[in-house]
Amino acid sequence: MSIPDVIRCAYAELVVTDLAASRAFYVDVLGLVVTFEDDDAIHLRAFEEYLHHSLVLRRGDTAACARLAYRVRTPGDLDLAEAHHRALGVRVERVPAGATRGIGEAVRVQDPLGFPIEFFHDAEHVERFTRRYDVHGAGAISRLDHFNVVTPDVPAAQRYYEGLGFTVSEDIEDAAGTVYAAWLYRKATVHDVALTGGDGPRLHHIAFATHERSQILHICDHLGALRQSDRIERGPGRHGVSNAFYLYLRDPDGHRVEIYTHDYYTGDPDNPVVRWDVHDNQRRDWWGTPVVPSWYAEASTVLDLDGVPVAPQERTEAREADVTIGADGFSYTRPDEGFKLGAQV
Ligand code: 4SX
Ligand code: FE2
């Protein structure tokens, strides 16, 4: 059976409890562009995006992730996505165009990891603000880059995504072969989805890209000037994995948003995989900055296709925060010899 041709991660839908507070963060501070808004939802896009939205904020009683959507190359890929997931034995729904405003016909599944995933091809086009420097501002966000999901069994999750044609770019392991995290892509960047080992399904973060590091620094300055430095959870810094420059923010409901730039091209078929030892203290921050405990522990609840929260399953394998010294990621437990930093395989 052939598999759907997934182009890239395309949009997320987050349930938020106070639309005005979320608007103040995503629109007034981060500068995302409003495509549509009413009393129930705000549809947002970044400056280079010409599809209707890359983020939907929907008002609800409890904060959660309602959907992670991937775009497929042709309408026929929807049939392939449907057949592929029926064969996997998971719940599948076909929804008509407009089920989400601006999005064409779609296939929705609760994937084997428990996440509400959508595949769509058609979407309404809107103005692409690439050259609208008059409205960009110094912290301009250009596009959605990736999703990061928490799941107990990273190798099983990796098999699901590889079954959909994704390729691993980097991962974090230990000498015993325990996999703590993996990064997989369809578009030619380091990832469209990252798998973080932990109690799941939960959404760890969504990430938006900027063009330049200076734009990330400006977002920090901007939050400081607004006396909102508590929105900054981790960073700014340089990732080991992906080599990207990063910043993690928490929105008013605690949903984590990463601002990310400067990863690398992965589009050739022989792109080398980078394997990191979990004991390498530069894997998650190239400068050795400790990872804050909340970053390992906290993540957003996900909803099933009926909008009901999914209870997370516990991770039974070793947890990264426990195997690195002090549970804060400030790990100097790597052996002095025997392996290279970020070894290419
Ligand atoms: O913390 S890591 O350096 O492993 C990392 C986390 C790398 C890339 C990401 O997008 C991320 O969220
Ligand atoms: Fe990320």
Side-chain angles (χ1 to χ4, degrees):
M1 189 177 70
S2 49
I3 56 172
D5 185 348
V6 176
I7 302 170
R8 61 179 175 89
C9 67
Y11 82 88
E13 181 169 315
L14 301 178
V15 179
V16 299
T17 56
D18 181 342
L19 265 187
S22 298
R23 194 185 197 286
F25 176 70
Y26 288 99
V27 180
D28 299 340
V29 180
L30 293 186
L32 293 179
V33 178
V34 178
T35 301
F36 172 85
E37 62 185 322
D38 63 14
D39 289 343
D40 281 323
I42 308 177
H43 294 241
L44 299 167
R45 66 188 195 275
F47 284 115
E48 282 183 3
E49 294 175 320
Y50 60 88
L51 297 192
H52 187 267
H53 57 256
S54 54
L55 177 62
V56 180
L57 304 173
R58 194 170 299 283
R59 187 168 54 82
D61 293 336
T62 321
C65 168
R67 192 166 308 119
L68 298 175
Y70 293 94
R71 192 172 194 205
V72 296
R73 193 160 301 279
T74 69
D77 287 306
L78 293 182
D79 299 330
L80 297 175
E82 180 176 352
H84 181 75
H85 287 88
R86 290 206 188 283
L88 291 176
V90 299
R91 183 164 164 200
V92 182
E93 270 176 13
R94 192 105 182 195
V95 297
T100 299
R101 178 182 292 269
I103 302 296
E105 188 184 9
V107 171
R108 291 182 182 170
V109 308
Q110 187 173 3
D111 77 14
L113 327 178
F115 289 90
I117 303 289
E118 176 173 285
F119 301 92
F120 72 92
H121 170 71
D122 283 324
E124 196 181 306
H125 284 203
V126 291
E127 183 183 353
R128 188 177 208 173
F129 275 21
T130 306
R131 296 172 191 78
R132 288 293 308 275
Y133 293 106
D134 53 325
V135 289
H136 279 194
I141 289 172
S142 50
R143 58 176 177 78
L144 180 72
D145 189 83
H146 62 267
F147 306 137
N148 184 311
V149 299
V150 188
T151 187
D153 185 342
V154 173
Q158 183 176 323
R159 284 192 290 278
Y160 166 66
Y161 276 102
E162 286 175 337
L164 274 171
F166 287 65
T167 303
V168 173
S169 54
E170 307 203 15
D171 75 3
I172 297 176
E173 300 183 10
D174 64 17
T178 304
V179 184
Y180 295 86
W183 284 255
L184 297 103
Y185 61 93
R186 284 292 302 169
K187 67 176 167 8
T189 64
V190 170
H191 57 319
D192 287 284
V193 67
L195 310 170
T196 298
D199 302 344
R202 292 181 301 155
L203 174 69
H204 193 274
H205 62 267
I206 60 171
F208 287 95
T210 61
H211 281 287
E212 299 175 16
R213 288 169 288 177
S214 60
Q215 294 168 314
I216 290 183
L217 298 176
H218 178 78
I219 291 169
C220 298
D221 287 337
H222 189 174
L223 284 162
L226 296 173
R227 306 299 276 174
Q228 292 183 29
S229 60
D230 54 341
R231 294 249 170 275
I232 299 176
E233 182 190 36
R234 178 184 163 203
R238 167 77 69 187
H239 283 309
V241 173
S242 81
N243 193 48
F245 200 82
Y246 72 87
L247 172 70
Y248 294 96
L249 304 174
R250 303 295 290 271
D251 85 356
D253 285 287
H255 295 306
R256 186 179 289 104
V257 179
E258 182 181 15
I259 315 294
Y260 176 98
T261 192
H262 277 202
D263 65 349
Y264 57 90
Y265 168 75
T266 58
D268 278 25
D270 54 354
N271 181 71
V273 178
V274 180
R275 296 232 143 83
W276 295 81
D277 189 291
V278 73
H279 298 289
D280 186 337
N281 71 302
Q282 291 186 237
R283 72 198 182 287
R284 288 198 176 275
D285 185 283
W286 186 243
W287 310 333
T289 308
V291 177
V292 293
S294 63
W295 191 91
Y296 281 123
E298 296 171 13
S300 300
T301 299
V302 304
L303 304 180
D304 69 14
L305 299 186
D306 298 319
V308 176
V310 182
Q313 304 288 306
E314 212 176 296
R315 175 171 169 91
T316 54
E317 289 175 289
R319 291 165 188 263
E320 190 170 335
D322 297 336
V323 301
T324 55
I325 284 180
D328 64 358
F330 196 34
S331 168
Y332 283 98
T333 56
R334 71 179 186 227
D336 290 337
E337 298 168 27
F339 67 93
K340 285 187 288 184
L341 284 177
Q344 280 188 8
V345 294

